[in-house]
Amino acid sequence: MTNDPSRLVLVASNRGPVSFAFAEDGSLTASRGGGGMVSGVMSGLAAIACDVEVLWLCTALSDADREAARRGDRVVEPGDAPVRMLDIPSDMFSAAYNGIANSVLWFVHHLLFDTPNQPRFGPEFRRDWSCYMAYNAAFADALAQECTAGTRVLIQDYHLALAPRLLRERRPSARIAHFEHTPWAPPDYYRLLPDDIAVAILDGMLGADHAGFLAGRWAAAFLDCCEAVLGARVTRGAGGAGQVRYRGRTTEVGVHPLGVDGTALRARGRQPDVSMHADALAAMAHGRQLIVRVDRTELSKNIVRGLAAYRELLLTRPGWRGRVLHLAFAYPSRSELAEYREYTARVHELATGINAEFATPDWEPLVLDVKDDYARSLAACRIADVLLVNPLRDGMNLVAEEGPILSERGCALVLSREAGAAALIGDEALLINPYDVTATAEALHAALSMPAAERRRRAAMIAATASGRAPARWLTEQLDALG
Ligand code: F6P
């Protein structure tokens, strides 16, 4: 470990940069962790590696991870930060992760509740909440052990909303930042939470010196909640940023949009495995225009309405039949939750229905694939004519930035105005209301009809804007905010 504590940066997140599996002989094999938060933090850390020393604390998510955690090694992949996995008891983890983080906080911030029926906060919720508190306390204990004067601590996401305050209690002089990768709910929706929980989450985050968000809208909603729920003194600055004064401390609230390292992504997109997939997908398209989407099968991603819009396009604009192919990559996600299993089934049903309704002997209108294959996703973005990104609400949505960067011919982007990315790159996209299926179908038509030169111009503008906000800048801004 470093002799200069001010060089040390601790990162804390639920999912970490590495995950383990048991090989047939019982040994442990390591692979990279997935998701937008992990790739953003990893890429940012790699770019500033000479200026800092890093230790990343994350949860052991599987039995193989727990075994690695028990062996106590600080796992290091070549060139990566050392990782300390916390061996949280699996029941406690499941209640905190599935019961609170994914079923309550994720639903609140993405406005996903079917409110006539859900949520219902009763004894089960209270049991899960006590596990969520214990899970956050386990992180605060581990961070406090690693922290010395001058150490900077970057705590990630809604899983760890209480950790900043708990760490502050253990290490009053720690320099703490919290970053939220989701949207933030407006006060009226946030107040669906039981009153004491609504207070505890905001109070937990305000243990940090700096609270970061991906878009001005989410930061502004957080400030509104601090004022409405806590009665905190809020000062509003430009673009959604501001300050919250609460319990004798000030927390700066910052807006840090996350972009993409365009050079690195393009280099990855030119690798042989990606080119092989690109050739195979192009052969499948057979000269037809390609509409591509790449998502986790996540309720907020709005895949069902995306498919409905494609169906409406084929119904109302029959001229596109036989001339377009929709590649929908929808990778499995959170299958422990019944809502996600039901949603996945609906996606499959709709996709089968579209093919049954419109396919001809020499044309299948839709290919839905659920196998998570990173190289193939990059390949699809490389050759896409149109990229469909229509979430109901999304912290940022990096695919909207990655697609135009990878695109060879220049793709037209149909983008939900409710994605955080819309604030950054929306000027060059065809923006849609994600609930409006007819408007989405019309945007797909406009995108397919857009002249090639205009697509190229827009994609180049998006690529330049996204590359200008590369993860190194995103991370450096947060570290600088800690002084
Ligand atoms: O959006 C925030 C985020 O943490 C992303 O990094 C990631 O895509 C997701 O939420 C968490 O996913 P998971 O539950 O699979 O770790």
Side-chain angles (χ1 to χ4, degrees):
M1 200 45 66
T2 177
N3 293 323
D4 176 2
S6 66
R7 276 175 56 85
L8 178 62
V9 173
L10 299 175
V11 178
S13 64
N14 176 59
R15 192 176 290 281
V18 64
S19 69
F20 289 91
F22 287 114
E24 273 183 10
D25 65 359
S27 64
L28 289 170
T29 57
S31 59
R32 285 180 185 277
M37 180 278 297
V38 166
S39 66
V41 177
M42 272 177 91
S43 164
L45 288 175
I48 58 165
C50 13
D51 304 322
V52 292
E53 289 188 37
V54 178
L55 175 64
W56 193 323
L57 283 77
C58 62
T59 315
L61 296 174
S62 63
D63 288 344
D65 283 357
R66 280 186 203 98
E67 177 58 28
R70 271 173 214 137
R71 291 184 189 177
D73 300 338
R74 296 200 163 185
V75 189
V76 192
E77 291 278 287
D80 288 347
V83 176
R84 176 177 162 192
M85 286 193 162
L86 305 192
D87 182 4
I88 311 262
S90 61
D91 288 357
M92 181 200 288
F93 168 70
S94 173
Y97 176 68
N98 292 317
I100 301 296
N102 290 348
S103 298
V104 178
L105 302 181
W106 184 272
F107 274 58
V108 167
H109 292 315
H110 292 85
L111 320 183
L112 288 176
F113 282 120
D114 163 25
T115 50
N117 301 300
Q118 294 289 345
R120 269 176 282 182
F121 296 113
E124 193 185 336
F125 167 77
R126 289 287 161 181
R127 278 195 297 275
D128 289 349
W129 179 255
S130 65
C131 290
Y132 181 81
M133 288 195 293
Y135 166 90
N136 272 260
F139 266 89
D141 287 338
L143 286 166
Q145 271 170 18
E146 305 289 351
C147 209
T148 50
T151 304
R152 286 169 291 180
V153 185
L154 304 177
I155 298 175
Q156 308 300 311
D157 252 337
Y158 51 99
H159 313 91
L160 293 173
L162 308 182
R165 173 71 63 198
L166 296 171
L167 177 58
R168 175 74 57 212
E169 286 163 7
R170 289 156 175 77
R171 290 281 179 275
S173 64
R175 297 192 284 167
I176 307 171
H178 185 276
F179 198 90
E180 184 66 35
H181 294 260
T182 66
W184 194 267
D188 284 353
Y189 203 90
Y190 183 77
R191 282 180 141 159
L192 294 183
L193 290 169
D195 294 354
D196 58 324
I197 307 297
V199 169
I201 286 167
L202 296 171
D203 175 60
M205 289 170 67
L206 293 174
D209 300 294
H210 183 263
F213 293 87
L214 288 166
R217 281 175 77 187
W218 317 144
F222 177 77
L223 292 174
D224 291 346
C225 285
C226 290
E227 199 167 49
V229 175
L230 300 177
R233 186 144 55 81
V234 165
T235 311
R236 290 177 177 78
Q243 279 186 343
V244 184
R245 185 89 190 138
Y246 184 63
R247 289 178 63 184
R249 293 186 45 79
T250 299
T251 301
E252 297 287 336
V253 175
V255 179
H256 309 287
L258 179 58
V260 174
D261 180 342
T263 310
L265 184 64
R266 277 198 200 96
R268 178 66 186 92
R270 283 193 295 267
Q271 295 291 309
D273 56 341
V274 179
S275 297
M276 189 193 75
H277 282 297
D279 292 346
L281 293 173
M284 189 194 284
H286 213 69
R288 298 181 177 100
Q289 290 212 54
L290 270 182
I291 302 174
V292 169
R293 77 172 304 138
V294 180
D295 288 299
R296 294 185 294 125
T297 310
E298 155 61 49
L299 310 187
S300 65
K301 301 295 182 189
N302 205 21
I303 301 172
V304 163
R305 285 192 193 78
L307 293 178
Y310 182 57
R311 177 174 179 271
E312 191 165 323
L313 173 81
L314 297 178
L315 266 181
T316 58
R317 306 262 183 191
W320 287 116
R321 292 185 202 166
R323 295 173 50 216
V324 66
L325 171 64
H326 185 12
L327 278 179
F329 294 156
Y331 305 138
S333 178
R334 302 186 185 165
S335 48
E336 299 88 349
L337 302 185
E339 288 95 333
Y340 283 67
R341 293 195 296 275
E342 284 154 22
Y343 192 77
T344 303
R346 283 232 303 292
V347 167
H348 282 269
E349 208 178 293
L350 213 57
T352 308
I354 289 172
N355 279 334
E357 191 173 354
F358 297 103
T360 60
D362 58 359
W363 174 60
E364 193 180 36
L366 173 70
V367 172
L368 171 71
D369 205 317
V370 298
K371 185 168 168 285
D372 189 352
D373 186 330
Y374 183 59
R376 200 187 45 168
S377 301
L378 297 183
C381 289
R382 248 177 69 175
I383 63 169
D385 295 286
V386 174
L387 183 66
L388 174 60
V389 181
N390 66 324
L392 296 174
R393 199 169 159 90
D394 207 321
M396 194 73 205
N397 203 310
L398 286 182
V399 175
E401 303 177 38
E402 290 164 343
I405 287 174
L406 288 161
S407 164
E408 283 168 359
R409 301 189 289 272
C411 67
L413 173 65
V414 175
L415 177 63
S416 165
R417 66 188 186 196
E418 304 303 322
L424 189 66
I425 56 172
D427 286 351
E428 305 302 336
L430 297 165
L431 286 182
I432 50 156
N433 169 353
Y435 296 92
D436 190 338
V437 172
T438 299
T440 307
E442 282 305 297
L444 289 174
H445 169 68
L448 289 165
S449 312
M450 191 183 281
E454 177 63 1
R455 280 188 197 168
R456 268 199 304 279
R457 186 192 69 74
R458 290 184 184 226
M461 294 284 284
I462 292 173
T465 306
S467 299
R469 304 288 323 188
R473 176 170 171 189
W474 172 76
L475 199 70
T476 306
E477 282 176 1
Q478 292 170 68
L479 289 171
D480 289 351
L482 290 179

